[in-house]
């Protein structure tokens, strides 16, 4: 089964958001994978790289501008391409992250209506990302590699 790899801060305050992403992934025909839910021994970063590489879709919650989330988001953009990465976020102090402002983001509020919006809109975003093909030649040139 194709997977949806989730990148988000590890905090109890994101448990309900993780549940929403898991349900949206399931509704989109994807198995939900989150690195902190695994119990496999070994190098965690190697496991994260493996899961990103095998993911059909990556969901990244950039709420709080967590450094680890941005690091893994950059890796996901490099490995699977930004077409297959869905970025979700809550605005922090009414600010969005500058370095990724050019990428579409699903902004939600951590309120009952905000979570309802996420529940309604995320499945279609996942399905759309799952259907995207990555233009490898374009991204190789962008990354500084010629075909």
């Amino acid at each position: 089964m194709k997977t949806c790899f989730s990148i988000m801060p590890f905090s109890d305050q994101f448990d309900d958001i993780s549940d929403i992403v898991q349900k949206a992934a399931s509704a989109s025909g994807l198995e939900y994978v989150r690195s902190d839910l695994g119990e496999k021994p070994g190098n965690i970063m190697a496991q994260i790289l493996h899961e990103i590489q095998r993911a059909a879709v990556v969901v990244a919650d950039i709420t709080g501008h967590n450094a680890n989330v941005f690091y893994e988001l950059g890796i996901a953009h490099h490995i699977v391409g930004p077409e297959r990465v869905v970025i979700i976020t809550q605005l922090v102090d009414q600010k969005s992250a500058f370095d990724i402002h050019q990428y579409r983001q699903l902004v939600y509020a951590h309120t009952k209506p905000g979570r309802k919006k996420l529940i309604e809109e995320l499945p279609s975003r996942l399905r759309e990302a799952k259907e995207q093909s990555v233009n490898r030649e374009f991204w190789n040139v962008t990354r500084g590699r010629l075909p």
Side-chain angles (χ1 to χ4, degrees), residues 29-125:
L30 298 165
E31 176 188 350
Y32 181 73
V33 178
R34 203 172 104 179
S35 64
D36 65 319
L37 300 178
E39 296 181 11
K40 187 176 6 173
N43 183 300
I44 295 169
M45 197 62 221
Q47 292 170 17
I48 290 170
L49 292 172
H50 172 76
E51 293 300 342
I52 290 172
Q53 186 172 15
R54 78 180 192 104
V57 177
V58 174
V59 175
D61 191 328
I62 61 169
T63 300
H65 304 163
N66 180 290
N68 291 332
V69 170
F70 274 89
Y71 183 71
E72 293 172 27
L73 173 60
I75 291 169
H77 273 170
H78 181 77
I79 292 176
V80 301
E83 300 90 350
R84 292 185 16 221
V85 176
V86 176
I87 300 172
I88 63 174
T89 187
Q90 300 169 45
L91 289 179
V92 177
D93 298 326
Q94 301 304 309
K95 295 178 185 176
S96 62
F98 176 76
D99 287 345
I100 60 167
H101 73 276
Q102 72 271 22
Y103 297 108
R104 294 190 190 279
Q105 300 173 25
L106 175 53
V107 179
Y108 69 93
H110 204 262
T111 61
K112 189 173 182 177
R115 289 187 298 274
K116 183 178 186 290
K117 174 187 175 185
L118 192 59
I119 289 166
E120 291 170 353
E121 295 184 21
L122 187 57
S124 64
R125 303 264 182 125

Side-chain angles (χ1 to χ4, degrees), residues 14-34:
F14 287 93
D15 286 349
D16 56 344
I17 303 306
S18 179
D19 291 343
I20 291 169
V21 175
Q22 182 175 17
K23 289 174 183 164
S26 180
S28 302
L30 298 165
E31 176 188 350
Y32 181 73
V33 178
R34 203 172 104 179

